[in-house]
Amino acid sequence: MREVNFGWLREAVRKEIRNAFEVQGYARPREVAQVVCALYRKGVSQMGERLVENAIAAMARRELKRYPAITEHAQLRVPGIPGALMAHLPPAISVPVSGVDEEALSEDSVIYKPLSRAALADIDAHLELLAAQISADTRRHSTLRELRDMAVAAGADASEPLLTALESLSEQENLS
């Protein structure tokens, strides 16, 4: 299948997100999708096959993470592995395709492998992916926590937008 240009669709989604933020103050992914589909019906229908393929790929990713649990988890019963450890093992792991560097990594450059068939190198690659995800999540968590703490220090209440509270703090500092 020929490659499809999603640039116009991405811009349409961004436009609808901006609109939802301005009108409602929040956005829901499904509502954004519904509005974009209604406003750009012709373009979306032309891209339909690729969009369906992407949706099926997303469904396949979810199932790949779960499927081995149904079919192969029992095969992991190995003497010497405590049951408590077994209970927390994933049925499948994601492994980057060899030759793809971390910055170029995408959903299509990762394979899923049942844990019962994973080699030590596969486990190492999966652990590297998890470490990168954990590091990114930790940075986001820390940054959001700091932003929240700044807003609380500025006197924000639970219903006030964070940036409004921080803006008033900034104005107070400028007056000092």
Side-chain angles (χ1 to χ4, degrees), residues 5 20 25 37 56 71 73 79 85 89 94 111 114 161 167 171:
N5 179 358
C37 286
I56 293 170
T71 61
H73 208 43
L85 182 62
L89 289 175
S94 49
I111 61 169
E167 193 174 85
E171 289 170 0

Side-chain angles (χ1 to χ4, degrees), residues 159-172:
S159 62
E160 183 179 16
L162 271 153
L163 297 181
T164 303
L166 293 172
E167 193 174 85
S168 65
L169 177 66
S170 176
E171 289 170 0
Q172 290 172 5

Side-chain angles (χ1 to χ4, degrees), residues 8 15 54-55 59-60 69 114 137 148 153-155 168:
W8 72 268
K15 182 179 175 184
N54 289 349
M59 183 187 301
D137 286 345
R148 179 207 175 276
S168 65

Side-chain angles (χ1 to χ4, degrees), residues 49-62:
E49 187 175 330
R50 180 59 187 239
L51 294 171
V52 168
E53 180 184 310
N54 289 349
I56 293 170
M59 183 187 301
R61 272 188 290 284
R62 286 188 303 273

Side-chain angles (χ1 to χ4, degrees), residues 91-161:
I93 60 170
S94 49
V95 181
V97 176
S98 62
V100 177
D101 68 358
E102 196 171 304
E103 272 126 42
L105 205 56
S106 72
E107 293 172 344
D108 292 331
S109 58
V110 173
I111 61 169
Y112 292 85
K113 198 176 253 196
L115 189 58
S116 63
R117 296 188 182 140
L120 185 57
D122 298 327
I123 299 295
D124 289 342
H126 181 70
L127 288 171
E128 283 183 39
L129 280 178
L130 286 177
Q133 291 169 355
I134 290 167
S135 177
D137 286 345
T138 301
R139 279 192 309 275
R140 281 190 291 275
H141 179 271
S142 176
T143 303
L144 284 170
R145 167 83 50 201
E146 187 172 339
L147 189 65
R148 179 207 175 276
D149 292 347
M150 288 170 64
V152 168
D157 64 36
S159 62
E160 183 179 16

Side-chain angles (χ1 to χ4, degrees), residues 14-86:
R14 289 176 181 152
K15 182 179 175 184
E16 182 49 37
I17 289 170
R18 278 191 305 273
N19 184 57
F21 285 168
E22 288 172 13
V23 173
Q24 301 173 160
Y26 62 90
R28 289 188 172 117
R30 179 65 56 187
E31 290 173 359
V32 169
Q34 290 168 341
V35 171
V36 169
C37 286
L39 292 176
Y40 301 90
R41 191 169 304 281
K42 184 178 179 186
V44 169
S45 68
Q46 290 172 345
M47 297 175 71
E49 187 175 330
R50 180 59 187 239
L51 294 171
V52 168
E53 180 184 310
N54 289 349
I56 293 170
M59 183 187 301
R61 272 188 290 284
R62 286 188 303 273
E63 290 301 315
L64 280 164
K65 292 175 184 177
R66 243 188 321 237
Y67 177 78
I70 299 164
T71 61
E72 297 193 17
H73 208 43
Q75 294 178 19
L76 289 175
R77 302 273 180 241
V78 176
I81 299 179
L85 182 62
M86 290 296 302

